[in-house]
């Protein structure tokens, strides 16, 4: 094994892993504060998940409805998260989001405009007022390109197509990262005082998902191995509207913007079934007749919102219940119809990429026919546990932000709250990392043995004589998670899921990649298996422990929310013997002010911004 | 409804390579990228290909399919006759790294040369105001997903290898988007003329034809930039004004 001094080496004050919205925002902050900043990512710059986000980013700018303010955004976020969110993070997010959006505009983002020339805002599920700043249905592209074009002039050193394999420690402190160049198959040693994890989620563990190959839970697994805690992993969001036909695009996302702009859900009997699924908590704020829903769509501010805009967990379960009752669409979903609600030119203007996506991938014209949609694995509410203000984990020098971090969204995320999350917490993680790096007396030194161990386990996959195909292990995991750790869970399924994960781990120990180390897709597929399995196990264990149904987590044998669980988070960490340990922790109490806002009526909050 | 289809895929690296044949069982609704993924999972595990979104949003999966620059995730198999062999190769304007993956870093270098957005001051209430009509064109350019298919097909970059003289259509519309931005205050016209080489484009419109985002690259972006250069440098009144005042 090579001496680590012979490895290609880079040194930075702060190294950011991940070039989505969160990573780019964090890196920009560090660089602006004068730190020597590096950024590594698995794909090319500009291709991260963030680019796919469609509907918009939530911020209480109040441009379209001046009654909106941060308190109502905070209240909506808490209610959407079934009150399991970390109070302080939900507060920071709601307060800071408007300025973060304006800052993005100053850096070049061109949002759709209101008639008075301000940033326009659209309706989305769970948001009381039109709150999502957007650009048609390609808001994520606007965000990532703006951050990318701004960031390349800030002196950030970007390492593209470099996969982080593991975090390096000096004692208990972060000392750097071992990376692997996709192109050459060579290793690179990044020394850093602080590392910011911004790697996104782990949806690729499921069969039907809106996520790309990058979402193998790498950041979660790396942080876990380094001693950090994971939290809230039982809360995996199944977005209600993924494509269901043809099979090759099953899972591809259909933006919630379709419903925000008036789209309705129908079953095979042409019934608008969402009226039958309005939960108690939202009953007073949801329209209960089609007449009222139509008034709302036509801009009547007194009318209540249509039930299609209930939170995602509610809508996903409703579609599943309809299909299971035999009222599904031909390919096992529900009909999403905007053609009957809006004229073709409006649909093409507001939802251009949905129009093209269906036209080209499903040969269907959404201005004339309804779409077929069904739930798809979409987002991790849970992730790495961080301090609410600094975003630091319990490992000194390790920070996390964006989808890979936990806390803001609680048991269910509202649409549009992710993109604003990336900006707010990307910035805060950047500040946190800078302060930490400045406080270190000397640069930590990575442990040579650890580097060699990581290199060996990676190269073993190539070097062993024979072994199993990584693609089939991954594919079996996807079927397992889909079947056993899906939308509706129960104890027996979850236990079978955990057994299955165990068997897959044994198979992974003998996985073999053929070919050379250069741009070898199979090798990288094999390297993604450990993080996928760690993430899957953590989800299943947390789901088994939480004996209630709350937000995105539904246990068939434990219906409804249980008050005792309402203040508990599940925290996962690696025990000294290497096994996975899950623990229940009580959530810190909020300030009286925040509690009052979260439970206030809308009338009490409207026009009280401060 | 699985049917066997024939594929010829270019395999190799910078030094050497050739086409290899694969048979693959395709199902209804598949796109070329799905077939490539099947080949990768079942027959050629180390086959190199880029992709992310599989929905035409990220611009990763560009390649040449039966000679045409396309996004492989948006190219349906049923576009081709049932017995037609599908030939797939990497974009030819850039150095190949391996198989279907090529080195597009040159594009990222061009972007760095472009002076960033520089807005004027905000209104007194802290907002910027712009009319939707005034940003429609800029938004059209900002739809670009950086697939680099236009760069691949542009003969200035492709056949004439004039990469040092012309930034290519992708960055022409990036520049146009900045120049037409109602809030921007920077002046990029001198560089558009000299360093970025707007004059190299002879309006063949090949770039516009391949753009998966249907951006009017040539007519809406490059031609107006050419006009701005002409106005600045070749308009006799402006030249006189410059002589008299010393201002551009
Ligand atoms: C189709 C779709 C539509 C969506 N629409 C919306 C929306 O309208 N509004 C909204 O708010 N949210 C939306 N979301 C959610 C939102 O887009 C994501 O949650 C968010 O973009 C995640 O951003 P991020 O910065 O945390 O991570 P990402 O943008 O996913 O970036 C992760 C980065 O980490 C890198 N990475 C991962 N592992 C490694 C490793 N081992 N080594 C090196 N680099 C690594 C990746 O290469 C990538 O650069 C949508 C999501 C999808 C999939
Ligand atoms: S129109 Fe100009 S930029 Fe486009 S392909 Fe032709 S020469 Fe190249
Ligand atoms: S302008 Fe069109 S073809 Fe060129 S890179 Fe952008 S999206 Fe691709
Ligand atoms: S994979 Fe994103 S454009 Fe094809």
């Amino acid at each position: 094994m090579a001496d680590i001094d012979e490895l290609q080496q880079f040194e930075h004050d702060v190294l950011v892993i991940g070039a989505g919205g969160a990573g780019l925002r964090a890196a920009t902050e560090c660089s602006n504060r004068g730190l020597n900043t590096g950024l590594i990512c698995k794909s090319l710059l500009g291709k991260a998940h963030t680019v796919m986000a469609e509907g918009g980013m939530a911020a209480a700018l109040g441009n379209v409805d001046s009654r909106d303010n941060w308190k109502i955004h905070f209240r909506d976020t808490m209610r959407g998260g079934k009150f399991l969110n970390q109070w302080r993070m939900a507060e920071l997010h709601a307060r800071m989001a408007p300025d973060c959006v304006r800052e993005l505009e100053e850096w070049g983002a061109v949002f759709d405009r209101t008639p008075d020339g301000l940033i326009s805002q659209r309706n989305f599920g769970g948001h009381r007022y039109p709150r999502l700043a957007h650009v048609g249905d390609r808001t994520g592209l606007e965000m990532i390109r703006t951050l990318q074009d701004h960031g390349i002039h800030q002196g950030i050193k970007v390492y593209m197509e470099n996969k982080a394999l593991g975090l390096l420690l000096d004692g208990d402190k972060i000392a750097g990262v071992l990376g692997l160049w996709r192109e050459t198959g060579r290793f690179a040693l990044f020394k850093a005082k602080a590392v910011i994890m911004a790697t996104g989620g782990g949806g690729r563990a499921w069969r039907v998902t809106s996520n790309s190959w990058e979402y193998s839970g790498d950041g979660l697994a790396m942080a876990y191995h380094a001693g950090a805690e994971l939290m809230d992993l039982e809360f995996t969001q199944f977005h209600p509207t993924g494509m269901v036909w043809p099979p090759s695009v099953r899972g591809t996302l259909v933006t919630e913007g379709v419903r925000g702009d008036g789209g309705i859900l129908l079953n095979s009997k042409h019934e608008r079934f969402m009226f039958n699924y309005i939960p108690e908590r939202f009953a007073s704020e949801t329209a209960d007749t089609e007449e009222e829903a139509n008034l709302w769509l036509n801009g009547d501010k007194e009318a209540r919102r249509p039930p299609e805009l209930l939170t995602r967990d509610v809508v996903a379960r409703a579609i599943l219940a309809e299909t299971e009752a035999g009222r599904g669409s031909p390919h096992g979903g529900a009909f999403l119809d905007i053609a009957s609600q809006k004229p073709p030119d409006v649909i093409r203007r507001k939802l251009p990429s949905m129009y093209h996506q269906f036209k080209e991938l499903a040969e269907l014209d959404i201005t004339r026919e309804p779409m077929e949609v069904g739930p798809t694995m979409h987002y991790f509410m849970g992730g790495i546990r961080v301090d609410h203000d600094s975003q630091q984990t319990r490992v000194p020098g390790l920070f996390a932000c964006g989808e890979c971090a936990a806390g803001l969204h609680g048991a269910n995320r509202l649409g549009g709250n992710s993109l604003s999350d990336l900006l707010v917490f990307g910035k805060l993680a950047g500040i946190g990392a800078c302060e930490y790096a400045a406080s270190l007396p000397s640069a930590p030194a990575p442990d040579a043995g650890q580097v060699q161990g990581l290199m060996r386990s990676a190269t073993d996959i190539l070097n062993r004589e024979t072994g199993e195909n990584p693609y089939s292990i991954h594919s079996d995991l996807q079927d397992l998670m889909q079947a056993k750790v899906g939308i509706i869970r129960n104890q027996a399924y979850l236990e079978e899921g955990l057994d299955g994960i165990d068997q897959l781990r044994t198979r992974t120990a003998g996985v073999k990649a053929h070919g050379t180390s250069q741009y070898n897709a199979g090798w990288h597929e094999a390297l993604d298996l450990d993080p996928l399995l760690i993430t899957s196990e953590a989800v299943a264990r947390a789901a088994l422990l939480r004996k209630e149904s709350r937000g995105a987590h539904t246990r068939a044998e434990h219906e409804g929310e249980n008050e005792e669980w309402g203040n508990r988070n599940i925290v996962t960490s690696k025990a000294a013997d290497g096994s996975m340990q899950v623990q229940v922790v009580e959530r810190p109490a909020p300030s009286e002010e925040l509690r009052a806002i979260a439970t206030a009526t809308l009338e009490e909050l409207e026009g009280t911004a401060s | 409804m699985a049917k066997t289809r024939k594929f010829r895929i270019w395999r190799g690296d910078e030094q050497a390579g050739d086409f290899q044949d694969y048979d693959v069982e395709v199902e209804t609704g598949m796109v070329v990228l799905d077939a490539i993924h099947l080949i990768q999972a079942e027959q050629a595990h180390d086959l190199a290909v880029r992709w992310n979104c599989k929905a035409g949003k990220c611009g990763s999966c560009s390649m040449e399919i039966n000679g045409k620059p396309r996004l492989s995730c948006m190219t349906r198999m049923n576009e081709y006759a049932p017995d037609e062999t599908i030939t797939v190769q990497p974009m030819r304007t850039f150095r190949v790294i391996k198989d279907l993956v090529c080195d597009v870093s040159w594009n990222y270098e061009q972007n760095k040369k472009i002076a960033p957005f520089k807005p004027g001051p905000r209104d007194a209430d802290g907002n910027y105001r712009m009319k939707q009509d005034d940003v429609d064109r800029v938004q059209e350019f900002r739809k670009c997903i950086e697939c680099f298919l236009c760069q691949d097909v542009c003969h200035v970059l492709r056949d004439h290898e004039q990469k040092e003289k012309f930034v290519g259509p992708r960055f022409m519309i990036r520049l146009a988007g900045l120049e037409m931005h109602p809030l921007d205050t920077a002046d990029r016209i001198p560089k558009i003329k000299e360093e970025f080489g707007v004059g190299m484009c002879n309006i063949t419109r090949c770039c516009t034809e391949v753009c998966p985002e249907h951006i009017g690259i040539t007519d809406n972006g490059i031609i107006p930039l050419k006009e701005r250069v002409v106005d600045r440098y070749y308009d006799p009144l402006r030249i006189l004004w410059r002589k008299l005042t010393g201002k551009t």
Side-chain angles (χ1 to χ4, degrees):
Chain A
M1 187 56 51
D3 189 346
I4 79 160
D5 293 333
E6 288 165 18
L7 280 178
Q8 185 185 31
Q9 299 200 6
F10 303 97
E11 240 178 286
H12 292 286
D13 294 324
V14 181
L15 185 75
V16 181
I17 310 181
L24 283 166
R25 184 63 191 80
T28 303
E29 192 65 32
C30 296
S31 202
N32 280 348
R33 286 167 184 262
L35 270 77
N36 169 357
T37 309
L39 176 70
I40 75 175
C41 52
K42 286 208 277 192
S43 286
L44 296 173
L45 195 55
K47 312 297 181 193
H49 244 79
T50 300
V51 79
M52 296 176 225
E54 294 160 0
M57 61 189 97
L61 296 158
N63 288 353
V64 172
D65 194 320
S66 60
R67 289 175 295 181
D68 201 10
N69 61 51
W70 79 264
K71 293 178 184 172
I72 302 179
H73 189 186
F74 166 78
R75 175 184 181 270
D76 288 345
T77 302
M78 292 302 296
R79 285 159 59 94
K82 317 299 163 192
F83 289 91
L84 207 69
N85 328 50
Q86 302 299 309
W87 298 86
R88 173 69 176 152
M89 289 176 82
E91 179 196 3
L92 285 169
H93 171 252
R95 279 184 190 269
M96 290 173 64
D99 278 344
C100 285
V101 170
R102 289 192 197 99
E103 181 179 63
L104 206 62
E105 183 174 50
E106 188 174 307
W107 292 348
V110 184
F111 293 104
D112 287 355
R113 317 308 295 180
T114 66
D116 336 329
L118 297 172
I119 295 172
S120 181
Q121 297 181 273
R122 70 154 46 113
N123 280 299
F124 239 55
H127 292 285
R128 176 64 195 172
Y129 297 113
R131 190 176 282 147
L132 270 69
H134 61 276
V135 188
D137 53 3
R138 53 163 192 87
T139 313
L141 170 64
E142 190 67 20
M143 175 180 214
I144 203 163
R145 197 68 80 234
T146 301
L147 289 170
Q148 173 188 345
D149 288 340
H150 181 74
I152 54 173
H153 296 287
Q154 308 299 311
I156 303 163
K157 177 91 175 90
V158 181
Y159 307 86
M160 297 197 272
E161 298 198 308
N162 190 307
K163 176 182 159 92
L165 292 173
L167 292 167
L168 305 173
L169 298 174
D170 178 350
D172 66 342
K173 276 204 243 18
I174 282 294
V177 172
L178 183 70
L180 174 64
W181 290 109
R182 215 174 168 77
E183 174 171 350
T184 57
R186 296 227 175 86
F187 295 100
L189 177 62
F190 297 93
K191 294 184 178 168
K193 293 179 188 159
V195 169
I196 301 177
M197 204 55 97
T199 50
R204 272 324 264 190
W206 282 261
R207 170 66 62 202
V208 179
T209 175
S210 66
N211 291 175
S212 86
W213 67 271
E214 293 201 300
Y215 267 28
S216 46
D218 297 10
L220 276 60
M222 284 188 275
Y224 168 86
H225 288 309
E229 295 166 316
L230 308 179
M231 187 174 80
D232 291 343
L233 278 188
E234 67 276 30
F235 300 111
T236 49
Q237 180 166 77
F238 292 85
H239 193 291
T241 61
M243 292 175 81
V244 297
W245 186 260
S248 67
V249 293
R250 191 170 190 118
T252 299
L253 196 76
V254 181
T255 174
E256 190 166 317
V258 177
R259 283 170 287 139
D261 288 344
I264 58 172
L265 287 164
L266 300 170
N267 63 19
S268 60
K269 299 187 159 159
H270 285 272
E271 292 158 342
R272 199 164 161 186
F273 58 84
M274 279 311 301
F275 285 109
N276 307 330
Y277 294 91
I278 304 171
E280 192 56 46
R281 182 179 281 150
F282 294 94
S284 66
E285 292 169 19
T286 309
D288 49 14
T289 61
E290 287 202 34
E291 291 70 48
E292 187 175 357
N294 288 338
L295 286 176
W296 177 88
L297 184 58
N298 295 327
D300 181 339
K301 288 195 172 176
E302 296 312 310
R304 295 172 299 175
R305 312 159 53 78
E308 277 84 3
L309 290 178
L310 285 162
T311 54
R312 290 178 175 174
D313 51 325
V314 176
V315 182
R317 276 194 302 271
I319 294 177
L320 195 67
E322 288 296 309
T323 49
E324 283 180 356
R327 295 188 293 268
S329 66
H331 302 103
F335 293 108
L336 173 60
D337 179 22
I338 187 145
S340 68
Q341 306 292 308
K342 291 272 158 154
D345 57 313
V346 173
I347 300 175
R348 277 193 293 265
R349 182 160 46 79
K350 294 302 271 182
L351 301 162
S353 78
M354 284 303 106
Y355 174 74
H356 278 118
Q357 185 172 310
F358 275 90
K359 189 113 205 167
E360 285 168 42
L361 297 175
E363 294 177 335
L364 185 137
D365 181 349
I366 67 168
T367 67
R368 293 145 69 91
E369 293 168 82
M371 301 159 243
E372 269 188 82
V373 294
T376 180
M377 169 63 211
H378 183 57
Y379 184 87
F380 270 41
M381 269 69 72
I384 303 166
R385 189 183 192 196
V386 292
D387 174 81
H388 306 162
D389 291 85
S390 71
Q391 315 309 308
Q392 187 163 208
T393 67
R394 74 172 182 189
V395 177
L398 179 62
F399 297 74
C401 57
E403 187 172 341
C404 72
L408 168 60
H409 307 292
N412 176 60
R413 171 177 73 93
L414 296 185
N417 266 1
S418 171
L419 291 187
S420 41
D421 167 4
L422 310 183
L423 295 176
V424 169
F425 293 102
K427 175 175 172 153
L428 291 177
I431 297 173
C434 289
E435 286 175 356
Y436 172 86
S439 75
L440 276 193
S442 61
D447 174 73
Q450 202 196 347
V451 174
Q452 279 165 342
L454 284 168
M455 292 197 293
R456 195 171 318 111
S457 49
T459 44
D460 278 353
I461 297 172
L462 278 177
N463 294 341
R464 61 176 66 100
E465 292 290 311
T466 57
E468 198 176 346
N469 170 2
Y471 295 93
S472 39
I473 300 179
H474 186 181
S475 176
D476 290 351
L477 174 68
Q478 291 181 298
D479 288 336
L480 180 78
M481 294 300 281
Q482 192 74 28
K484 306 292 178 191
V485 195
I487 302 185
I488 311 281
R489 300 158 175 178
N490 69 41
Q491 179 170 346
Y493 274 14
L494 291 168
E495 284 169 351
E496 285 162 32
L498 282 165
D499 284 345
I501 291 168
D502 242 13
Q503 288 160 23
L504 289 168
R505 179 160 295 122
T506 313
R507 284 166 61 188
T508 300
V511 67
K512 158 83 186 156
H514 294 273
T516 66
S517 63
Q518 280 149 8
Y519 220 111
N520 184 335
W523 188 27
H524 284 264
E525 176 85 5
L527 289 168
D528 287 346
L529 292 174
D530 173 67
L532 279 166
L533 288 167
I534 297 278
T535 309
S536 302
E537 181 180 345
V539 172
R541 284 200 188 283
L544 188 59
L545 195 57
R546 182 173 289 275
K547 295 185 177 55
E548 65 159 350
S549 297
R550 181 182 296 270
H553 170 69
T554 307
R555 284 284 296 266
E557 72 283 43
H558 300 289
E559 265 180 54
E561 290 174 17
N562 172 327
E563 226 174 290
E564 271 179 29
W565 278 99
N567 213 26
R568 296 178 178 167
N569 297 99
I570 297 178
V571 170
T572 309
S573 60
K574 190 170 175 178
D577 65 358
S579 65
M580 189 176 282
Q581 175 181 315
V582 276
Q583 234 178 317
V584 175
V585 301
E586 290 291 318
R587 187 176 48 149
S591 66
E592 272 319 306
E593 187 206 357
L594 290 184
R595 191 188 298 281
I597 298 173
T599 51
T601 63
L602 285 167
E603 290 69 28
E604 288 167 338
L605 297 178
E606 281 165 0
T608 65
S610 65
Chain B
M1 278 222 282
K3 273 199 224 79
T4 306
R5 300 292 306 253
K6 291 205 175 310
F7 269 78
R8 291 180 72 220
I9 300 183
W10 195 89
R11 302 290 315 265
D13 58 21
E14 212 183 346
Q15 267 85 46
D18 54 25
F19 286 97
Q20 292 190 17
D21 295 327
Y22 299 93
D23 284 347
V24 48
E25 299 274 301
V26 304
E27 301 203 21
T28 317
M30 275 194 176
V31 294
V32 168
L33 182 64
D34 291 319
I36 293 172
H37 279 157
L38 277 180
I39 293 169
Q40 199 183 43
E42 292 163 3
Q43 308 177 45
H45 301 334
D46 61 341
L47 172 60
V49 57
R50 283 197 184 105
W51 70 282
N52 284 75
C53 68
K54 229 172 128 336
K57 295 187 168 69
C58 72
S60 302
C61 64
S62 307
M63 55 187 72
E64 296 187 13
I65 305 172
N66 283 1
K68 290 215 170 66
R70 302 285 299 265
L71 294 178
S72 55
C73 74
M74 295 302 276
T75 307
R76 299 252 306 196
M77 293 292 299
N78 65 4
E79 283 185 32
Y80 303 95
D83 52 356
E84 193 174 345
T85 300
I86 298 174
T87 304
V88 193
Q89 61 191 313
M91 290 191 283
R92 277 177 286 176
T93 298
F94 306 107
R95 172 183 78 88
V96 63
I97 292 176
K98 195 182 136 192
D99 306 336
L100 301 174
V101 170
C102 45
D103 177 2
V104 291
S105 58
W106 176 80
N107 294 288
Y108 289 91
E109 294 308 315
Q110 305 317 300
N111 198 19
K112 277 192 200 154
K113 295 189 207 157
I114 296 175
F117 175 61
K118 192 171 159 215
R122 291 171 187 272
D123 295 350
D125 65 353
N127 287 306
Y128 286 117
R129 280 180 178 72
M130 298 185 270
K131 288 279 173 222
Q132 183 63 44
D133 281 351
D134 297 334
V135 297
D136 279 342
R137 186 47 34 90
V138 179
Q139 287 187 328
E140 177 190 351
F141 300 141
R142 294 184 68 83
K143 287 195 307 191
C144 170
I145 56 173
E146 297 206 326
C147 64
F148 306 129
L149 289 172
C150 56
Q151 305 285 80
D152 181 44
V153 84
C154 175
H155 66 102
V156 181
L157 304 176
R158 186 179 196 138
D159 306 329
H160 304 286
E161 275 290 332
Q162 314 230 42
K163 290 200 180 81
E164 69 297 341
K165 292 195 189 137
F166 184 44
V167 291
R170 156 56 190 138
F171 297 102
M172 280 291 136
I173 59 155
R174 161 102 181 108
L175 286 157
L178 286 163
E179 286 298 299
M180 296 179 197
H181 195 305
L183 300 176
D184 184 63
T185 60
D187 176 15
R188 301 173 192 81
I189 294 294
K191 283 202 168 180
I192 288 171
K193 175 173 180 278
E194 300 297 336
E195 194 179 341
F196 303 147
V198 71
M200 297 297 292
C201 163
N202 53 1
I203 320 185
T204 58
R205 296 195 173 80
C206 312
C207 51
T208 308
E209 270 167 38
V210 299
C211 176
E213 288 293 311
H214 308 290
I215 300 169
I217 303 175
T218 329
D219 290 4
N220 298 342
I222 301 180
I223 293 176
L225 285 184
K226 282 179 180 277
E227 286 166 358
R228 287 181 186 213
V229 168
V230 169
D231 280 354
R232 170 83 55 92
Y233 290 96
Y234 306 103
D235 178 340
L237 284 175
R238 300 250 342 199
I239 292 170
L240 185 63
W241 170 255
R242 251 201 326 265
K243 281 212 178 110
L244 293 174
T245 63
K247 287 184 190 153
T248 54

